[in-house]
Amino acid sequence: MLGQQETLPLWQEKTQLSSLSRLLGLMRPSSLRQYLGSVPLPPSQEQQPKASAELDHKACYLCHSLLMLAGVVVNCRDITPDQWGDLQLLCMQLDRHISAQIRESPQATHHTMLKDLATQTYIRWQELLTHCQPQAQYFSPWKEV
């Protein structure tokens, strides 16, 4: 995500949610850890677990920040019925790439905080989906086609 040369059309309202759904998969903590881990770890055996834990913490912090920004992008706008599918895709991406990928543990409270944020964001987006659900077009034999 950080090394891409592609310019995203985020200023165009119609493409913001679809662009965000592509980027949500890249916000996965394991992907961020892999990107951040391209910097070599310390060679000594004693420092490797500490460096690995620090890398995990940085990846979770970056994912938390990006997820907060994604929440701001979605929550600061009125979702129109034609954007309903994009928001539904965002919810699925959030659940698949962020929530399902985080393993909580008592030693890693930053994982719990990230999973809580992902859950709260998912709930907010689901509430938006219920408020902007497109009206179904039913067939009416009395209406001319």
Side-chain angles (χ1 to χ4, degrees), residues 88 91-92 121-131:
Q88 192 175 31
C91 287
M92 290 187 310
T121 304
Y122 182 84
I123 290 169
R124 265 186 265 126
W125 290 357
Q126 285 293 322
E127 288 172 352
L128 283 174
L129 277 173
T130 60
H131 294 298

Side-chain angles (χ1 to χ4, degrees), residues 112-125:
T112 304
M113 292 172 59
L114 181 57
K115 191 154 190 154
D116 287 346
L117 176 64
T119 302
Q120 290 169 10
T121 304
Y122 182 84
I123 290 169
R124 265 186 265 126
W125 290 357

